Amino acid sequence: MIRFDFEKSVGYWIFSTGHMLSRAMNEELSAHGITYRQWEVLAWLSYHGEITQSELAEQMRIEAPTLVGVIDRMERDGWITRETDPCDRRKKIIRATDKVQPVWEQMVNCALSVRARAIVGIPEEDLEVMRRTLSLMRDNMGENVLGPVPTDALIAPTGPTKASTPID
């Protein structure tokens, strides 16, 4: 018989919690006709302004072919535009359309609502430890796409920084 200790598996807890957060986001965002993955695209666009399709796939930590389907649907539904980069015709630049602006605040409120549900009863100092720990785990895995977090920011954070993701 195979055995696995789920209680001690950091990966299990992270993946399980991530799945529950994604599912909650999909439920909240469905009223706006958008999925969590599509919202994530818009969140990265709010962070960067515009971004190439390959950079976006890297930021989202998904394969480019997976992103293409998401982008195709978003373009079809009028959420984003995809244009050829004038400096490099191989690259596609993704931008949010004017359709996003009137509902963006409501979408962000969906994310804030999910976050509020998720962190009920967790002291702020515990949340800060979790953020630092997860950042270190990203660094350990070699994929902290937000770049290095300054050591002093890990010790005494003073608020949102460029190292914060739009979906924290």
Side-chain angles (χ1 to χ4, degrees), residues 1-24:
M1 173 179 215
I2 62 172
R3 296 184 187 271
F4 186 77
D5 188 351
F6 287 99
E7 291 299 315
K8 291 185 180 179
S9 172
V10 173
Y12 167 76
W13 285 101
I14 291 171
F15 284 116
S16 174
T17 304
H19 179 72
M20 292 175 76
L21 289 168
S22 294
R23 202 167 65 203

PDB file of all heavy atoms in Angstrom, residues 1-24:
ATOM      1  N   MET A   1       0.834  -1.179   0.000  1.00  0.00           N
ATOM      2  CA  MET A   1       0.000   0.000   0.000  1.00  0.00           C
ATOM      3  C   MET A   1       0.884   1.250   0.000  1.00  0.00           C
ATOM      4  O   MET A   1       1.842   1.343   0.758  1.00  0.00           O
ATOM      5  CB  MET A   1      -0.905  -0.031   1.234  1.00  0.00           C
ATOM      6  CG  MET A   1      -1.692   1.228   1.431  1.00  0.00           C
ATOM      7  SD  MET A   1      -2.746   1.075   2.879  1.00  0.00           S
ATOM      8  CE  MET A   1      -4.120   1.983   2.330  1.00  0.00           C
ATOM      9  N   ILE A   2       0.535   2.219  -0.859  1.00  0.00           N
ATOM     10  CA  ILE A   2       1.316   3.457  -0.886  1.00  0.00           C
ATOM     11  C   ILE A   2       0.822   4.387   0.215  1.00  0.00           C
ATOM     12  O   ILE A   2      -0.334   4.364   0.598  1.00  0.00           O
ATOM     13  CB  ILE A   2       1.243   4.140  -2.269  1.00  0.00           C
ATOM     14  CG1 ILE A   2      -0.191   4.534  -2.617  1.00  0.00           C
ATOM     15  CG2 ILE A   2       1.824   3.244  -3.335  1.00  0.00           C
ATOM     16  CD1 ILE A   2      -0.295   5.372  -3.857  1.00  0.00           C
ATOM     17  N   ARG A   3       1.749   5.173   0.732  1.00  0.00           N
ATOM     18  CA  ARG A   3       1.410   6.091   1.825  1.00  0.00           C
ATOM     19  C   ARG A   3       1.969   7.480   1.514  1.00  0.00           C
ATOM     20  O   ARG A   3       3.016   7.603   0.889  1.00  0.00           O
ATOM     21  CB  ARG A   3       1.993   5.591   3.140  1.00  0.00           C
ATOM     22  CG  ARG A   3       1.422   4.268   3.576  1.00  0.00           C
ATOM     23  CD  ARG A   3       1.981   3.886   4.944  1.00  0.00           C
ATOM     24  NE  ARG A   3       1.574   2.563   5.297  1.00  0.00           N
ATOM     25  CZ  ARG A   3       0.450   2.271   5.941  1.00  0.00           C
ATOM     26  NH1 ARG A   3      -0.351   3.236   6.300  1.00  0.00           N
ATOM     27  NH2 ARG A   3       0.151   1.038   6.235  1.00  0.00           N
ATOM     28  N   PHE A   4       1.261   8.470   2.004  1.00  0.00           N
ATOM     29  CA  PHE A   4       1.723   9.843   1.873  1.00  0.00           C
ATOM     30  C   PHE A   4       1.183  10.634   3.054  1.00  0.00           C
ATOM     31  O   PHE A   4      -0.001  10.555   3.376  1.00  0.00           O
ATOM     32  CB  PHE A   4       1.235  10.465   0.556  1.00  0.00           C
ATOM     33  CG  PHE A   4       1.810  11.832   0.299  1.00  0.00           C
ATOM     34  CD1 PHE A   4       3.110  11.981  -0.142  1.00  0.00           C
ATOM     35  CD2 PHE A   4       1.051  12.973   0.530  1.00  0.00           C
ATOM     36  CE1 PHE A   4       3.645  13.247  -0.375  1.00  0.00           C
ATOM     37  CE2 PHE A   4       1.582  14.234   0.304  1.00  0.00           C
ATOM     38  CZ  PHE A   4       2.876  14.361  -0.148  1.00  0.00           C
ATOM     39  N   ASP A   5       2.023  11.400   3.700  1.00  0.00           N
ATOM     40  CA  ASP A   5       1.621  12.183   4.870  1.00  0.00           C
ATOM     41  C   ASP A   5       1.224  13.594   4.415  1.00  0.00           C
ATOM     42  O   ASP A   5       2.047  14.495   4.336  1.00  0.00           O
ATOM     43  CB  ASP A   5       2.764  12.239   5.876  1.00  0.00           C
ATOM     44  CG  ASP A   5       2.341  12.880   7.189  1.00  0.00           C
ATOM     45  OD1 ASP A   5       1.215  13.430   7.260  1.00  0.00           O
ATOM     46  OD2 ASP A   5       3.129  12.828   8.144  1.00  0.00           O
ATOM     47  N   PHE A   6      -0.059  13.765   4.114  1.00  0.00           N
ATOM     48  CA  PHE A   6      -0.559  15.057   3.651  1.00  0.00           C
ATOM     49  C   PHE A   6      -0.399  16.149   4.702  1.00  0.00           C
ATOM     50  O   PHE A   6      -0.164  17.310   4.361  1.00  0.00           O
ATOM     51  CB  PHE A   6      -2.045  14.945   3.260  1.00  0.00           C
ATOM     52  CG  PHE A   6      -2.265  14.204   1.975  1.00  0.00           C
ATOM     53  CD1 PHE A   6      -2.631  12.862   1.989  1.00  0.00           C
ATOM     54  CD2 PHE A   6      -2.108  14.835   0.760  1.00  0.00           C
ATOM     55  CE1 PHE A   6      -2.839  12.181   0.812  1.00  0.00           C
ATOM     56  CE2 PHE A   6      -2.305  14.159  -0.429  1.00  0.00           C
ATOM     57  CZ  PHE A   6      -2.678  12.827  -0.406  1.00  0.00           C
ATOM     58  N   GLU A   7      -0.513  15.800   5.966  1.00  0.00           N
ATOM     59  CA  GLU A   7      -0.429  16.796   7.027  1.00  0.00           C
ATOM     60  C   GLU A   7       0.934  17.495   7.067  1.00  0.00           C
ATOM     61  O   GLU A   7       1.021  18.652   7.444  1.00  0.00           O
ATOM     62  CB  GLU A   7      -0.730  16.162   8.389  1.00  0.00           C
ATOM     63  CG  GLU A   7      -2.165  15.730   8.567  1.00  0.00           C
ATOM     64  CD  GLU A   7      -3.153  16.896   8.456  1.00  0.00           C
ATOM     65  OE1 GLU A   7      -2.901  17.958   9.047  1.00  0.00           O
ATOM     66  OE2 GLU A   7      -4.166  16.723   7.760  1.00  0.00           O
ATOM     67  N   LYS A   8       1.984  16.804   6.667  1.00  0.00           N
ATOM     68  CA  LYS A   8       3.328  17.385   6.703  1.00  0.00           C
ATOM     69  C   LYS A   8       3.793  17.890   5.340  1.00  0.00           C
ATOM     70  O   LYS A   8       4.894  18.421   5.234  1.00  0.00           O
ATOM     71  CB  LYS A   8       4.325  16.363   7.241  1.00  0.00           C
ATOM     72  CG  LYS A   8       4.118  16.065   8.705  1.00  0.00           C
ATOM     73  CD  LYS A   8       5.181  15.150   9.239  1.00  0.00           C
ATOM     74  CE  LYS A   8       4.936  14.870  10.716  1.00  0.00           C
ATOM     75  NZ  LYS A   8       5.929  13.958  11.260  1.00  0.00           N
ATOM     76  N   SER A   9       2.980  17.725   4.321  1.00  0.00           N
ATOM     77  CA  SER A   9       3.365  18.113   2.965  1.00  0.00           C
ATOM     78  C   SER A   9       3.089  19.598   2.721  1.00  0.00           C
ATOM     79  O   SER A   9       1.943  20.018   2.570  1.00  0.00           O
ATOM     80  CB  SER A   9       2.598  17.278   1.938  1.00  0.00           C
ATOM     81  OG  SER A   9       2.838  17.788   0.647  1.00  0.00           O
ATOM     82  N   VAL A  10       4.145  20.389   2.663  1.00  0.00           N
ATOM     83  CA  VAL A  10       4.011  21.813   2.378  1.00  0.00           C
ATOM     84  C   VAL A  10       3.359  22.003   1.001  1.00  0.00           C
ATOM     85  O   VAL A  10       2.470  22.841   0.830  1.00  0.00           O
ATOM     86  CB  VAL A  10       5.389  22.509   2.432  1.00  0.00           C
ATOM     87  CG1 VAL A  10       5.296  23.946   1.966  1.00  0.00           C
ATOM     88  CG2 VAL A  10       5.956  22.431   3.837  1.00  0.00           C
ATOM     89  N   GLY A  11       3.792  21.211   0.043  1.00  0.00           N
ATOM     90  CA  GLY A  11       3.219  21.311  -1.309  1.00  0.00           C
ATOM     91  C   GLY A  11       1.723  21.061  -1.324  1.00  0.00           C
ATOM     92  O   GLY A  11       0.966  21.779  -1.972  1.00  0.00           O
ATOM     93  N   TYR A  12       1.282  20.036  -0.590  1.00  0.00           N
ATOM     94  CA  TYR A  12      -0.151  19.740  -0.524  1.00  0.00           C
ATOM     95  C   TYR A  12      -0.918  20.934   0.016  1.00  0.00           C
ATOM     96  O   TYR A  12      -1.939  21.337  -0.536  1.00  0.00           O
ATOM     97  CB  TYR A  12      -0.413  18.517   0.357  1.00  0.00           C
ATOM     98  CG  TYR A  12      -1.878  18.379   0.687  1.00  0.00           C
ATOM     99  CD1 TYR A  12      -2.776  17.911  -0.261  1.00  0.00           C
ATOM    100  CD2 TYR A  12      -2.358  18.765   1.948  1.00  0.00           C
ATOM    101  CE1 TYR A  12      -4.133  17.819   0.035  1.00  0.00           C
ATOM    102  CE2 TYR A  12      -3.709  18.665   2.246  1.00  0.00           C
ATOM    103  CZ  TYR A  12      -4.594  18.206   1.289  1.00  0.00           C
ATOM    104  OH  TYR A  12      -5.931  18.131   1.577  1.00  0.00           O
ATOM    105  N   TRP A  13      -0.456  21.528   1.124  1.00  0.00           N
ATOM    106  CA  TRP A  13      -1.164  22.655   1.727  1.00  0.00           C
ATOM    107  C   TRP A  13      -1.188  23.864   0.793  1.00  0.00           C
ATOM    108  O   TRP A  13      -2.206  24.553   0.676  1.00  0.00           O
ATOM    109  CB  TRP A  13      -0.528  23.024   3.067  1.00  0.00           C
ATOM    110  CG  TRP A  13      -0.889  22.035   4.138  1.00  0.00           C
ATOM    111  CD1 TRP A  13      -0.102  21.024   4.605  1.00  0.00           C
ATOM    112  CD2 TRP A  13      -2.129  21.930   4.812  1.00  0.00           C
ATOM    113  NE1 TRP A  13      -0.789  20.297   5.547  1.00  0.00           N
ATOM    114  CE2 TRP A  13      -2.040  20.834   5.710  1.00  0.00           C
ATOM    115  CE3 TRP A  13      -3.316  22.646   4.772  1.00  0.00           C
ATOM    116  CZ2 TRP A  13      -3.088  20.462   6.536  1.00  0.00           C
ATOM    117  CZ3 TRP A  13      -4.366  22.270   5.602  1.00  0.00           C
ATOM    118  CH2 TRP A  13      -4.235  21.186   6.464  1.00  0.00           C
ATOM    119  N   ILE A  14      -0.077  24.119   0.112  1.00  0.00           N
ATOM    120  CA  ILE A  14      -0.030  25.264  -0.802  1.00  0.00           C
ATOM    121  C   ILE A  14      -0.948  25.034  -2.000  1.00  0.00           C
ATOM    122  O   ILE A  14      -1.754  25.898  -2.361  1.00  0.00           O
ATOM    123  CB  ILE A  14       1.422  25.545  -1.238  1.00  0.00           C
ATOM    124  CG1 ILE A  14       2.224  26.082  -0.049  1.00  0.00           C
ATOM    125  CG2 ILE A  14       1.457  26.525  -2.411  1.00  0.00           C
ATOM    126  CD1 ILE A  14       3.701  26.196  -0.286  1.00  0.00           C
ATOM    127  N   PHE A  15      -0.836  23.859  -2.639  1.00  0.00           N
ATOM    128  CA  PHE A  15      -1.678  23.577  -3.812  1.00  0.00           C
ATOM    129  C   PHE A  15      -3.158  23.534  -3.444  1.00  0.00           C
ATOM    130  O   PHE A  15      -4.003  24.060  -4.170  1.00  0.00           O
ATOM    131  CB  PHE A  15      -1.266  22.263  -4.482  1.00  0.00           C
ATOM    132  CG  PHE A  15      -0.012  22.375  -5.292  1.00  0.00           C
ATOM    133  CD1 PHE A  15       1.124  21.664  -4.923  1.00  0.00           C
ATOM    134  CD2 PHE A  15       0.046  23.178  -6.421  1.00  0.00           C
ATOM    135  CE1 PHE A  15       2.289  21.765  -5.670  1.00  0.00           C
ATOM    136  CE2 PHE A  15       1.201  23.283  -7.171  1.00  0.00           C
ATOM    137  CZ  PHE A  15       2.328  22.578  -6.797  1.00  0.00           C
ATOM    138  N   SER A  16      -3.473  22.909  -2.327  1.00  0.00           N
ATOM    139  CA  SER A  16      -4.867  22.801  -1.900  1.00  0.00           C
ATOM    140  C   SER A  16      -5.462  24.185  -1.625  1.00  0.00           C
ATOM    141  O   SER A  16      -6.574  24.501  -2.055  1.00  0.00           O
ATOM    142  CB  SER A  16      -4.942  21.926  -0.645  1.00  0.00           C
ATOM    143  OG  SER A  16      -6.238  21.909  -0.122  1.00  0.00           O
ATOM    144  N   THR A  17      -4.715  25.005  -0.916  1.00  0.00           N
ATOM    145  CA  THR A  17      -5.182  26.351  -0.606  1.00  0.00           C
ATOM    146  C   THR A  17      -5.292  27.187  -1.871  1.00  0.00           C
ATOM    147  O   THR A  17      -6.278  27.909  -2.064  1.00  0.00           O
ATOM    148  CB  THR A  17      -4.235  27.030   0.405  1.00  0.00           C
ATOM    149  OG1 THR A  17      -4.127  26.196   1.565  1.00  0.00           O
ATOM    150  CG2 THR A  17      -4.730  28.407   0.796  1.00  0.00           C
ATOM    151  N   GLY A  18      -4.315  27.067  -2.750  1.00  0.00           N
ATOM    152  CA  GLY A  18      -4.361  27.790  -4.023  1.00  0.00           C
ATOM    153  C   GLY A  18      -5.569  27.397  -4.847  1.00  0.00           C
ATOM    154  O   GLY A  18      -6.232  28.258  -5.454  1.00  0.00           O
ATOM    155  N   HIS A  19      -5.875  26.112  -4.866  1.00  0.00           N
ATOM    156  CA  HIS A  19      -7.049  25.640  -5.606  1.00  0.00           C
ATOM    157  C   HIS A  19      -8.327  26.223  -5.019  1.00  0.00           C
ATOM    158  O   HIS A  19      -9.218  26.674  -5.759  1.00  0.00           O
ATOM    159  CB  HIS A  19      -7.095  24.112  -5.595  1.00  0.00           C
ATOM    160  CG  HIS A  19      -8.277  23.544  -6.302  1.00  0.00           C
ATOM    161  ND1 HIS A  19      -8.405  23.572  -7.673  1.00  0.00           N
ATOM    162  CD2 HIS A  19      -9.410  22.976  -5.826  1.00  0.00           C
ATOM    163  CE1 HIS A  19      -9.568  23.032  -8.018  1.00  0.00           C
ATOM    164  NE2 HIS A  19     -10.185  22.664  -6.910  1.00  0.00           N
ATOM    165  N   MET A  20      -8.427  26.243  -3.706  1.00  0.00           N
ATOM    166  CA  MET A  20      -9.623  26.799  -3.061  1.00  0.00           C
ATOM    167  C   MET A  20      -9.753  28.298  -3.330  1.00  0.00           C
ATOM    168  O   MET A  20     -10.858  28.797  -3.570  1.00  0.00           O
ATOM    169  CB  MET A  20      -9.584  26.525  -1.560  1.00  0.00           C
ATOM    170  CG  MET A  20      -9.724  25.043  -1.230  1.00  0.00           C
ATOM    171  SD  MET A  20      -9.522  24.705   0.529  1.00  0.00           S
ATOM    172  CE  MET A  20     -11.119  25.267   1.119  1.00  0.00           C
ATOM    173  N   LEU A  21      -8.631  29.012  -3.314  1.00  0.00           N
ATOM    174  CA  LEU A  21      -8.661  30.443  -3.625  1.00  0.00           C
ATOM    175  C   LEU A  21      -9.076  30.673  -5.081  1.00  0.00           C
ATOM    176  O   LEU A  21      -9.879  31.573  -5.365  1.00  0.00           O
ATOM    177  CB  LEU A  21      -7.299  31.079  -3.348  1.00  0.00           C
ATOM    178  CG  LEU A  21      -6.916  31.229  -1.883  1.00  0.00           C
ATOM    179  CD1 LEU A  21      -5.440  31.592  -1.748  1.00  0.00           C
ATOM    180  CD2 LEU A  21      -7.788  32.274  -1.203  1.00  0.00           C
ATOM    181  N   SER A  22      -8.547  29.877  -6.004  1.00  0.00           N
ATOM    182  CA  SER A  22      -8.918  30.005  -7.422  1.00  0.00           C
ATOM    183  C   SER A  22     -10.401  29.744  -7.619  1.00  0.00           C
ATOM    184  O   SER A  22     -11.078  30.473  -8.362  1.00  0.00           O
ATOM    185  CB  SER A  22      -8.123  29.018  -8.284  1.00  0.00           C
ATOM    186  OG  SER A  22      -6.766  29.335  -8.271  1.00  0.00           O
ATOM    187  N   ARG A  23     -10.906  28.722  -6.964  1.00  0.00           N
ATOM    188  CA  ARG A  23     -12.322  28.394  -7.086  1.00  0.00           C
ATOM    189  C   ARG A  23     -13.188  29.525  -6.530  1.00  0.00           C
ATOM    190  O   ARG A  23     -14.194  29.912  -7.134  1.00  0.00           O
ATOM    191  CB  ARG A  23     -12.613  27.082  -6.369  1.00  0.00           C
ATOM    192  CG  ARG A  23     -13.878  26.412  -6.864  1.00  0.00           C
ATOM    193  CD  ARG A  23     -13.996  24.996  -6.398  1.00  0.00           C
ATOM    194  NE  ARG A  23     -14.140  24.966  -4.950  1.00  0.00           N
ATOM    195  CZ  ARG A  23     -13.842  23.937  -4.194  1.00  0.00           C
ATOM    196  NH1 ARG A  23     -13.384  22.835  -4.721  1.00  0.00           N
ATOM    197  NH2 ARG A  23     -14.011  23.980  -2.897  1.00  0.00           N
ATOM    198  N   ALA A  24     -12.811  30.085  -5.401  1.00  0.00           N
ATOM    199  CA  ALA A  24     -13.560  31.206  -4.814  1.00  0.00           C
ATOM    200  C   ALA A  24     -13.517  32.430  -5.729  1.00  0.00           C
ATOM    201  O   ALA A  24     -14.533  33.121  -5.907  1.00  0.00           O
ATOM    202  CB  ALA A  24     -13.000  31.552  -3.432  1.00  0.00           C
TER     203      ALA A  24
END
